[in-house]
Amino acid sequence: MLHYGRYFEPFSRASGSSRDFQEQPGTNWVPWSADAGIHPTNAVRGGTDSDGSEIYIGRASHCGHMLPAKVIPIRRVAYVSYDGIEYSKPHFEVLCGLGYTWVPNNGEDLPKGAVLSGTSNYGEPFYIGRAHHDGSITPGRINRKDRCVYVPFGGYEHAHSTYEILVDTKRHQKQSVGGHWQQAHIKGAVPAGALLAGYDSDGSDIYLGRVYRYGMVLPAKVMPRKKMCHVGDEGLEFEVAEYEALCNANVSWVPFRGVIPMNAVVCGEDRIGGKMYFGRGRYEGSLTPGKVIEDQKLLKIPYNFKEIPLREFDILVDNSNPSTQCIRSLDWQKGSSKSTVPKGAVLAGHDTDGSPIYLARVMFEGNQLPAKVIPRRGLCRTSHSGKAIEVASYEALCNAPVSWVPFRGTIPAKAIVCGRTLWGETVYFGRGHYKGSLTPGKVLEHQKVLKIPYDWNEFTVRDFEILVEY
């Protein structure tokens, strides 16, 4: 789509009262022009044009106003709009920096951290928004009074009531789960601290992302090895170039139990206003993230050009905001196989000679696993990949209101979580009878069996008990 600006006005740093407003702390606007060549480092992306050209966030002066601008480096020009007309600008400024993100807005409430581009010549603040228009994602000027965003496109100014607003996550009151959403591109590296969500069928890593598509914010799977980012919508899988990665967040994946947890991380809303959450599920050898729709209570993942529905899945929750008292804060006390068991440690069973076995957890090669502590023999053992592993130090579960209940094919709602595997799968505590012993071990939901350390091997037990809170 070619743009035909009606007017071509030079930029002036002394163009009137629009330059007199107080800048937001930490906002970095870098001067640029059509003659400057490559755009500045860390320029903030604003979207894509209908021909696929990248658009960056800028601002430019126009008749005493400081207006948000869409900067298209391939054309070495920026565009603003005002009073129904699109104007091209050869001199402008580009917003640079990290930690900016886009959030849906209805025009009523201005989110904390909304980025200010400038003001009108009579003092009205202008914020930066973006909307879908004619095959593009185009940034423009938010008019709070009109509850819409005005975007320049094709020589004219177009109003959209469905849009996103640019915010600085360092100041955003809804900064996500202790972390932030960082803009990224499939041609570049995955941002530092990005959340690993699973793995593809070939074993390559998949990270969690989100993308903006036709007025919605949707979960996405980011595959660095393939330089791809895929999203599912209306039954199909789509490839996108730009995404936002969730970085340095205090979150975890928990099994879905039929009810959306109160601390589930919200992604956005669907076309009829229902909430969407982040989920992940197993399909054809992969562990793939996708969207959980509140009223449907199922996961939909993008896979092989389709959107696949799954009824067994995990959902992403915010650890910094516990949802219920279903699982109380547990007392884990450090111990060693060479010292006495911590006071109040939970008794898990007995060895073949009748000596008591206590319950513990350990870290091994990135996995948090159940362990058995046998004080009489001065040992602590866990199991992994078919073998029993002896460890020196552990954490014992102490003074916990728990009980053992028979496993009936599904993980109970109040099952005690031990931790996560290296791939993020939830691990539970189980125990079962084996060769005259009652031995604790690990239960992985997708396997639905108990695996225990015994002698120097890992054995599978299919008739077992699982630890729950009472």
Side-chain angles (χ1 to χ4, degrees), residues 350-365:
H350 54 80
D351 205 5
T352 51
D353 61 1
S355 56
I357 298 177
Y358 292 88
L359 191 66
R361 68 180 183 184
V362 298
M363 289 297 299
F364 180 76
E365 295 184 351

Side-chain angles (χ1 to χ4, degrees), residues 265-324:
V265 180
V266 178
C267 176
E269 295 182 350
D270 62 17
R271 289 179 173 83
I272 59 175
K275 287 184 179 180
M276 285 187 292
Y277 303 87
F278 296 96
R280 68 175 187 181
R282 289 171 179 78
Y283 186 74
E284 294 192 355
S286 75
L287 180 56
T288 301
K291 65 185 178 187
V292 179
I293 302 175
E294 188 172 29
D295 61 344
Q296 297 181 10
K297 296 182 180 178
L298 56 78
L299 171 69
K300 292 184 177 180
I301 62 169
Y303 196 92
N304 198 25
F305 305 107
K306 297 178 182 179
E307 207 172 25
I308 309 297
L310 300 175
R311 298 197 175 275
E312 291 190 9
F313 57 90
D314 294 332
I315 192 166
L316 190 67
V317 298
D318 178 2
N319 291 333
S320 64
N321 180 27
S323 59
T324 69

Side-chain angles (χ1 to χ4, degrees), residues 323-351:
S323 59
T324 69
Q325 296 301 314
C326 178
I327 300 299
R328 300 186 183 99
S329 179
L330 299 176
D331 181 14
W332 293 97
Q333 297 186 21
K334 291 183 179 180
S336 169
S337 60
K338 305 303 180 183
S339 61
T340 58
V341 177
K343 186 177 180 180
V346 172
L347 185 65
H350 54 80
D351 205 5

Side-chain angles (χ1 to χ4, degrees), residues 28-39:
N28 185 27
W29 293 99
V30 178
W32 198 59
S33 72
D35 301 324
I38 191 169
H39 60 77

Side-chain angles (χ1 to χ4, degrees), residues 150-206:
Y150 293 100
V151 301
F153 194 93
Y156 298 95
E157 181 179 64
H158 307 269
H160 289 268
S161 58
T162 299
Y163 63 92
E164 288 186 310
I165 187 169
L166 184 67
V167 300
D168 182 348
T169 58
K170 296 184 292 296
R171 299 192 300 271
H172 183 29
Q173 64 183 357
K174 294 183 179 179
Q175 184 173 342
S176 298
V177 293
H180 65 276
W181 290 95
Q182 185 169 324
Q183 287 185 303
H185 195 282
I186 58 173
K187 294 181 180 179
V190 176
L195 179 65
L196 185 66
Y199 47 85
D200 206 3
S201 53
D202 62 1
S204 57
D205 292 341
I206 297 178

